[in-house]
Amino acid sequence: MIQIRIHGRGGQGVVTAAEMVSIAAFEQGKFAQAFPSFGSERTGAPVVSFCRIDDKPIRLREPISAPDALIVQDAHLLHQVNVFQGLKNDGFVLINSRQTWAEMGLDEIAARLGPGRLVTLAASDIAMRHIGRPLPNAVLLGGFAALTGIITLEAVVHAIGDKFKGDVAKRNIAAATEAYATLSHSLEVST
Amino acid sequence: MTQEVKFYQTGTFTVGNRLLDEGQRTVQASVARSNALTSGHRACQGCGEALGARFAVDAAMRATQGQLIAANATGCLEVFSTPYPETSWQLPWLHSLFGNAAAVGSGIAAALKVKAIKAGKAQSEVRVIAQGGDGGTTDIGFGCLSGMFERNDDVLYICYDNEGYMNTGVQRSSATPPGARTATTVPLGPNPGEEFGRGKNVPLIAVAHGIPYVATATVADLHDLEAKVEKAMSLRGARYLQIFVPCPLGWGAASCDTIRLARLARETGLFPVFEAEHGEIASVTKIRHPAKVEEYLRLQKRFAHLFGAHGRPDIIARIQGIADKNIKRFGLIAEEVAP
Amino acid sequence: MIDQMEGSLAVARAVALCRPEVICAYPISPQTHIVEGLGALVKGGTLAPCEFLNVESEFAAMSVAIGSSAAGARTYTATASQGLLFMVEAVYNAAGLGLPIVMTVANRAIGAPINIWNDHSDSMSQRDCGWIQLFAESNQEALDLHIQAFRLAEEMSMPVMVCMDGFILTHAYEQVDMPTQGEVDTFLPPYEPRQVLDLAEPVSIGAMVGPEAFMEVRYLAHAKQLMALERIPEIAAEFAETFGRQAGGLVRGYRTEDAETIVVALGSVVGTLEETVDALRADGVSVGLLSIRSYRPFPLAAVRVALAGAKRVVVLEKAFSVGIGGVVSGDVRMALSGIQVQGYTVVAGLGGRAIMQVSLTRMLKEAVADKLGPLTFLDLDHEIVNRQIAREAATRRSGPVAENLLRDVGTVAAMVSPRGAA
């Protein structure tokens, strides 16, 4: 079973992101379970959502305390919330930031996880270009597909089409596709 | 201009059926009336509510050709009409709770609408009334009533207003008038009886909802009451009718004075009789023989503390003030027309 | 068709397949997505003809439901928590009148202190109201139970509450197998009321009943629930035949055979418990699990059969009766009357406190060693409790309890892992 935790702020589509991961995994023939951190959080408050993916039906319903992968939609949360709590040593981390992890001072975690496991992506910038609003959730899923291979870009595109309609879906798909290409390229270069 | 012919009978202002064309006679005058609330029920002698309900429901039955369902709030009307295993109701009738008759009516109307659509009709021919006393309407049922109004559900709500909780032993409701004694507003202290400055005017609140039809009526003018029910049933959407129904037991009045008290309530101006459509007052029943409130109050033991050696003429004057204000506000007295 | 969707949407679609004629909606978290989903289906014309009423309160929601059901319409509503309490008078009334309304309860705690998260305090408060109460373990089961609920309610002329854990199920995305309209139509015949406000046969419903017959009317309500006890497994079996999967029934045992210790639970925590039982079994610990799916009527005989061979029984409850402890525990003890079994009550998950496998494992190991107290509050923070007790001992005006405790806990908004997980 793969367990993913997504951190962000109310209004960034944190819950929708987990739902899209689950739809993408379902599209790939997996069993998936996505759920929010069940808050009545207003815009801007720290929010967490969860997604489990497995080859068999998922029975466990506890929150994810030992994730295999983390998506951080707002890098400022790193100063506020212990987002790395319980992260497995061979886990993946994707952070929405223009900075590199080195610039963010995350050397220790990068070293623990090993090369190609902790990456940053300027997802809000990509979102601004395609969607016109700093909504990084779908963009990051494109990056997540490139980073982890847990879900494919095709499945992410399908999931975006499931959650959004018309032009919004089209723009989000373009943004996620660009994120996928950008991150695939940089991961290739670095390894 | 020719003057309208008035059919006054000696001593009353009721139009005698015998003087009218058959078509103009009251529903009750017809042998073909539905008798929806039939005899044998357990209401007190002189009960204004039983009388009002019989006229109102029979008129609604005639207006709908008998295609009528009633929802009833808990209260005297419910208790005296259905002592298990007997029932006086000759139409499908449902009692659920004290405070939800309007919502139950909404539910019945919703069900009927779906059934009509399934039968290929645009709207249901079967209509709905919901009814209750003033406690079940203006107090505990007020939320459901307002909800039914604002959704404009196809229900005629009839409130039988006897100005208190009679079923539980004459306690004060938000329809109890100032100065009146009830079991919870005893005639003691400097302000005996119900306090001034409290209570709510639900007919006007109903008007403020902008619903298709609001009317008040009394059991003193049954022809008017029937006409208003008929008018209400000719319309669709939320409608409200408040009928003034004296309670001999609760008011400490003689059973034979029920009609007189209802008439005096209107003729003093204490109970304005009017109609409103879509949020606007449409008509007002003028006072024909003005009366002072004292005449009305004297007939009722609930106001006995205002009279006698330790009487409170000041309070009677304040009640007269309320009547005068109503007369002015609703224009209850016809302007003198120059000959 | 198998699809990935939110639990609330799955329930909304399943309810729509049951062709309800009147739906009353009043918003309360975490039930909102269900009625929103149905509202969209009605407004969009997919579910027609159906009247969707946005009412002014839960009391009105149940009252409208009473009216429409009595007028012969298949009627549905949903609520939770304070909403269920706000409609209580009408909830009892619907049961007393024998009206087959189906209502989802998206289980949530009851305040004060106000809390929007999941536990079972709301449904448990209504266990005596005369409604049938079915509990769903998963979204698939929630969906399936609604289809069974209409069938059961209308057959018995009794209202049915389908209880599903708020947020944990209602807001969870997982795959569900959505039946076709044809399948549901085969399973669920049109509503044929036992009593109806009909012009052709005018009846008075809701007359006052005095001492001469009231006991008998109440007894018949109980007798009917006992009949439902027989019909629930039969309907579940028919459902399995039509739809090809198991759902509902009275109880479901999991590895209870020869289990020395059996944990009893209701709702979505059963999934986490299955994982826990598997892990403990792998370690050679003899444990099993009993999921109660029909809480009212309570299947005394089925519970007795399932638990009779166990040495100890742990009842895990998401609610409790202040002043004594377990709610379900009392019913389970009644089922085991005369049988010598060590009984434990564990209160867990109140107000959304996450129930973690690690805590369940620890607790069950203590139970197996008979080191568990008779009443345990799982992952209770004794430190902040003791601080408040000390505060009250020291100061008369110690202030509001909840606010004091929140100050002691510090900010929880940023907390990642729930209590007990670390």
Side-chain angles (χ1 to χ4, degrees), chain C residues 42-112:
Chain C
V42 174
K43 199 87 170 161
T46 310
L47 174 53
C50 177
E51 280 290 288
F52 184 89
L53 278 84
N54 283 291
V55 292
E56 74 281 358
S57 74
E58 286 90 356
F59 177 67
M62 186 46 64
S63 299
V64 168
I66 287 167
S68 74
S69 185
R74 182 171 286 164
T75 305
Y76 171 83
T77 189
T79 192
S81 182
Q82 314 295 140
L84 182 61
L85 263 60
F86 198 69
M87 64 163 70
V88 164
E89 194 193 9
V91 168
Y92 272 75
N93 193 250
L97 291 172
L99 298 172
I101 298 158
V102 171
M103 172 164 70
T104 311
V105 175
N107 290 119
R108 170 186 150 182
I110 289 168

Side-chain angles (χ1 to χ4, degrees), chain B residues 60-71:
Chain B
M61 286 287 273
R62 184 169 79 171
T64 58
Q65 287 88 49
Q67 300 186 93
L68 192 68
I69 295 175

Side-chain angles (χ1 to χ4, degrees), chain C residues 140-170:
Chain C
Q140 182 68 60
E141 197 180 28
L143 181 168
D144 294 341
L145 281 181
H146 280 86
I147 299 167
Q148 295 187 25
F150 280 105
R151 171 85 182 268
L152 180 65
E154 291 170 10
E155 251 190 54
M156 308 301 303
S157 206
M158 287 171 90
V160 178
M161 228 179 257
V162 180
C163 308
M164 66 188 290
D165 284 314
F167 292 113
I168 296 172
L169 293 182
T170 56

